[in-house]
Amino acid sequence: MPSLVLLRHGLSQWNLEDRFTGWVDVDLSAQGEAEAQQGGELIAAAGLDLDRAFASVLTRAIRTADLALAAAGQLWIPMEKHWRLNERHYGGLTGLNKTQTAAEHGAEQVHIWRRSYDVPPPPLAPGGAFDFAGDRRYAGVDVPATESLKTTLERVQPYWQGTITPALASGQRLLIAAHGNSLRAIVKLLFDVSDQAIPGVEIPTGNPLLIELDAALRPVGARYLDADRAEPLPAAT
């Protein structure tokens, strides 16, 4: 049967600084590196032989995949990187301190921007330090000015359906190293999570989520490999 391992990148430097990161290419912290390596050790301990890996084009996800695969003894497997697996774009919140932003705009408003399904933060003004339109990794891409989880899912879905789903359908065992929101989008697609329920789904950093699929690519089982750091999951059908 095909299987899928979802791995949220380890703790980043901006996670430590409590800043909205989104598409900013921030590296892992020392703790994040350790989390990624531990994730790979868990993959090895579970006896998972992977065929192929996918990551976003952001360093923290790529290095998480590399560190995990190295720890699992599987760094040699092919890996493809794509911007559609990037973290949600936080628009005008990008780079801001989360606590200070809540003090300025109110905790309730910031909670809506962060956790609602379809309400995006204010758009990012063009031409600033976090305008990614000139970044050559996004050549030919209509870079968003902001995203909700809903619009994040809408840009993840074509890559999911066009590239990842066919690989799973061929029976491959895959690793996707990405971000909290792009991985929640995949969880929503796989488990058919409602718009109302998906804001409550959390994915911990550095803890591999193993999803076993049937021939129709329906989840028949799902578990975090580190049970002590697991978060509740939608019920597998």
Side-chain angles (χ1 to χ4, degrees):
M1 292 195 304
S3 59
L4 177 64
V5 177
L6 302 182
L7 182 59
R8 182 180 177 185
H9 68 79
L11 197 74
S12 76
Q13 292 290 345
W14 276 22
N15 290 146
L16 289 176
E17 297 173 18
D18 198 29
R19 298 172 74 181
F20 290 99
T21 310
W23 284 34
V24 180
D25 199 10
V26 177
D27 204 350
L28 295 174
S29 65
Q31 180 180 335
E33 292 174 347
E35 288 176 346
Q37 181 171 341
Q38 183 183 33
E41 293 167 354
L42 289 165
I43 289 170
L48 296 175
D49 291 324
L50 300 167
D51 298 305
R52 192 173 173 190
F54 297 89
S56 76
V57 296
L58 298 173
T59 298
R60 58 193 186 273
I62 297 166
R63 293 197 63 228
T64 293
D66 284 346
L67 289 166
L69 289 171
Q74 300 179 56
L75 187 56
W76 58 271
I77 69 170
M79 182 164 70
E80 180 173 310
K81 310 173 189 78
H82 204 283
W83 68 271
R84 288 188 181 273
L85 294 175
N86 275 16
E87 177 59 293
R88 169 190 174 188
H89 194 306
Y90 275 102
L93 301 183
T94 301
L96 300 181
N97 178 275
K98 295 174 184 177
T99 302
Q100 293 173 357
T101 304
E104 180 178 350
H105 296 281
E108 182 178 353
Q109 178 60 69
V110 173
H111 180 76
I112 291 170
W113 284 334
R114 292 185 66 186
R115 300 303 304 177
S116 67
Y117 177 58
D118 57 2
V119 178
L124 182 74
F130 304 126
D131 183 348
F132 309 106
D135 190 319
R136 68 190 184 98
R137 80 189 86 182
Y138 306 120
V141 175
D142 186 11
V143 175
T146 186
E147 289 181 311
S148 63
L149 178 55
K150 180 177 184 291
T151 52
T152 301
L153 183 149
E154 288 169 354
R155 54 103 163 147
V156 168
Q157 191 165 14
Y159 189 68
W160 169 258
Q161 292 178 334
T163 300
I164 298 173
T165 295
L168 290 169
S170 71
Q172 293 185 40
R173 296 154 297 185
L174 308 181
L175 170 71
I176 301 178
H179 310 266
N181 286 293
S182 53
L183 293 179
R184 287 202 300 146
I186 290 172
V187 167
K188 188 178 193 305
L189 292 169
L190 263 180
F191 290 89
D192 196 23
V193 184
S194 70
D195 296 354
Q196 294 72 32
I198 193 61
V201 174
E202 288 282 0
I203 298 179
T205 57
N207 191 353
L209 171 57
L210 171 61
I211 303 172
E212 297 171 339
L213 306 165
D214 64 16
L217 303 187
R218 292 185 297 255
V220 294
R223 63 184 176 94
Y224 283 103
L225 298 187
D226 183 352
D228 293 336
R229 296 181 57 235
E231 292 282 350
L233 284 167
T237 56

